Amino acid sequence: MAYRKRRKLRLKKGAYVVIVLLILLVVGIVKGIEYKKQKDYEATYEYKLITKGYSLEDAKFLDSKYDNAKKDKLLELESTDNIIDLINQKYFLFRNLDTYLEYIKDNDSEKLSEVVAICNVHANNKWYTYDLDTDISKKELMIVNKFYTMDKSYEPANMKSISLSYSYGSEGDNQLIDYAYDKFMEMAEEATEAGFHLMVTSSYRNYEDQEEIYNYRKTSYGERKADQTAARPGHSEHQSGLVIDMTSKEEAYADEFSVSETYKWLKENAYRYGFIERYPEGKTYLTGYSAESWHWRYVGVKAATTIHEENITFDEYYEYYVLGDN
Ligand SMILES: [Zn+2]
């Protein structure tokens, strides 16, 4: 009797030990899993971005929006200030992020939409301070401005002469690349039907022509004034063969033209033929030119429609829509 009792007790003791060990094992496994989970989470960009100072929501947004290289870049930045607001700007380009942040340092009261616009078109630099090559393979979307230069020898192929019914000067004086010419003729004819007689005063100019114009203005008015009204050679869109300076039969002078009904008609309709007002009022800080109501550029109907609808300059369009974020 006494022996059986002792055996029962010993059994009981053994069972307790096993149970305790099992509990310890389970707790150990659970803790281990938790630890592994935590370590795995700490390796994620979401966690790293939160540690950097982003909210959970912003970290999730950045994590799903960008590839690892871009997320690494965000983690390397000094701070998170302005980043989310910048990214939410319509024309934000990741490739310009450093430039935006640098620009904000010196211009902290500037609206972020303006920071993006200015830096996208390189206007955070002084005009003509560096040269980028105009990519002529972009055809009607090629850009020529105070940072993009055309090769001295570039001459457009397949030019057509605008007849004297729609241009001043002598026969053959005013030429456009054929596809721009066709759309100009369509536009001029429809304008005539609407009661506005368009007249081209200048169109294609080669490098030497532009050199002459620019140097004349520089000698007469000084470099600053010359730069406001004429392009330096190699920087003139007129060399592309995609540009017309226009007035109308009714308003022969530029100052009349800018307040004319013809100009109003062009502003409302030219985009349907692929033409845009290249240097609009109020955009000098982006284009580098005072408003030129007479200077119209062919960019094709698709680009012209976007530019018209979004009220942006071609410079902004080119950087965002043509080059994009590569
Ligand atoms: Zn012009």
Side-chain angles (χ1 to χ4, degrees):
M1 189 68 191
Y3 167 75
R4 276 186 66 186
K5 212 176 174 182
R6 236 177 293 137
R7 201 172 155 228
K8 222 177 163 183
L9 250 172
R10 225 180 325 174
L11 254 177
K12 252 187 174 171
K13 226 173 154 185
Y16 282 134
V17 172
V18 170
I19 288 166
V20 169
L21 282 175
L22 273 174
I23 289 170
L24 284 175
L25 185 68
V26 169
V27 170
I29 289 170
V30 169
K31 285 280 169 203
I33 290 171
E34 272 176 9
Y35 179 77
K36 168 95 170 55
K37 255 187 165 169
Q38 180 62 24
K39 280 287 152 200
D40 285 350
Y41 183 59
E42 283 173 19
T44 64
Y45 280 103
E46 183 183 299
Y47 177 83
K48 288 180 192 165
L49 288 162
I50 290 169
T51 313
K52 181 85 192 166
Y54 292 102
S55 69
L56 173 65
E57 191 193 349
D58 290 344
K60 280 184 187 294
F61 163 70
L62 295 171
D63 191 20
S64 61
K65 189 172 174 74
Y66 293 120
D67 62 23
N68 292 354
K70 290 198 170 95
K71 283 181 273 197
D72 285 335
K73 167 79 194 163
L74 289 173
L75 291 170
E76 281 165 20
L77 294 173
E78 271 171 39
S79 86
T80 61
D81 290 355
N82 294 314
I83 305 294
I84 298 291
D85 288 343
L86 274 170
I87 288 172
N88 284 324
Q89 298 304 314
K90 182 167 164 63
Y91 302 105
F92 171 84
L93 291 169
F94 200 97
R95 64 180 160 92
N96 289 339
L97 185 53
D98 286 334
T99 316
Y100 302 145
L101 295 173
E102 201 56 43
Y103 187 79
I104 291 169
K105 275 187 195 166
D106 300 328
N107 305 274
D108 57 358
S109 59
E110 190 69 271
K111 269 166 64 185
L112 292 183
S113 56
E114 294 294 349
V115 170
V116 168
I118 289 166
C119 296
N120 280 4
V121 303
H122 309 274
N124 53 312
N125 302 286
K126 286 210 166 75
W127 309 118
Y128 295 120
T129 43
Y130 61 89
D131 264 355
L132 302 161
D133 290 332
T134 291
D135 180 359
I136 57 164
S137 73
K138 297 276 192 285
K139 294 188 173 153
E140 73 269 23
L141 292 176
M142 72 170 82
I143 193 163
V144 190
N145 63 22
K146 293 188 177 185
F147 296 108
Y148 286 92
T149 327
M150 288 204 111
D151 197 82
K152 190 173 177 170
S153 64
Y154 178 74
E155 270 180 45
N158 307 320
M159 303 275 275
K160 275 181 163 177
S161 291
I162 301 165
S163 80
L164 292 182
S165 357
Y166 292 115
S167 70
Y168 289 119
S170 317
E171 199 70 60
D173 274 359
N174 284 296
Q175 298 189 321
L176 274 177
I177 290 185
D178 53 5
Y179 51 82
Y181 169 91
D182 293 344
K183 295 306 274 186
F184 168 74
M185 287 308 292
E186 242 181 75
M187 177 166 78
E189 278 156 24
E190 198 174 305
T192 306
E193 273 172 40
F196 309 110
H197 194 144
L198 302 178
M199 290 299 283
V200 171
T201 56
S202 181
S203 49
Y204 169 66
R205 293 199 288 264
N206 66 22
Y207 186 95
E208 286 75 22
D209 293 340
Q210 190 64 32
E211 198 168 35
E212 206 173 295
I213 290 174
Y214 179 78
N215 286 343
Y216 172 76
R217 293 200 193 176
K218 197 174 153 186
T219 324
S220 315
Y221 312 109
E223 186 173 270
R224 216 173 69 89
K225 259 261 157 10
D227 279 337
Q228 281 168 6
T229 54
R232 293 186 187 179
H235 292 273
S236 170
E237 274 198 325
H238 282 274
Q239 197 187 334
S240 70
L242 295 163
V243 165
I244 35 176
D245 287 344
M246 272 190 289
T247 172
S248 66
K249 264 232 157 102
E250 296 77 26
E251 301 94 6
Y253 300 104
D255 54 341
E256 290 175 13
F257 187 63
S258 67
V259 292
S260 69
E261 290 297 312
T262 313
Y263 173 64
K264 219 169 119 191
W265 185 89
L266 280 172
K267 272 185 96 73
E268 283 162 14
N269 295 285
Y271 76 94
R272 296 192 290 113
Y273 307 91
F275 283 90
I276 55 152
E277 186 184 18
R278 185 65 179 84
Y279 309 121
E281 191 79 53
K283 304 279 181 153
T284 304
Y285 69 108
L286 297 174
T287 64
Y289 290 96
S290 310
E292 293 192 358
S293 56
W294 60 90
H295 181 111
W296 293 76
R297 157 76 194 264
Y298 182 75
V299 293
V301 174
K302 188 170 163 259
T305 304
T306 304
I307 289 166
H308 178 82
E309 283 171 356
E310 300 184 11
N311 189 28
I312 53 175
T313 59
F314 180 60
D315 310 271
E316 292 164 274
Y317 180 89
Y318 183 81
E319 296 293 334
Y320 186 77
Y321 288 105
V322 181
L323 294 186
D325 215 353
N326 300 308

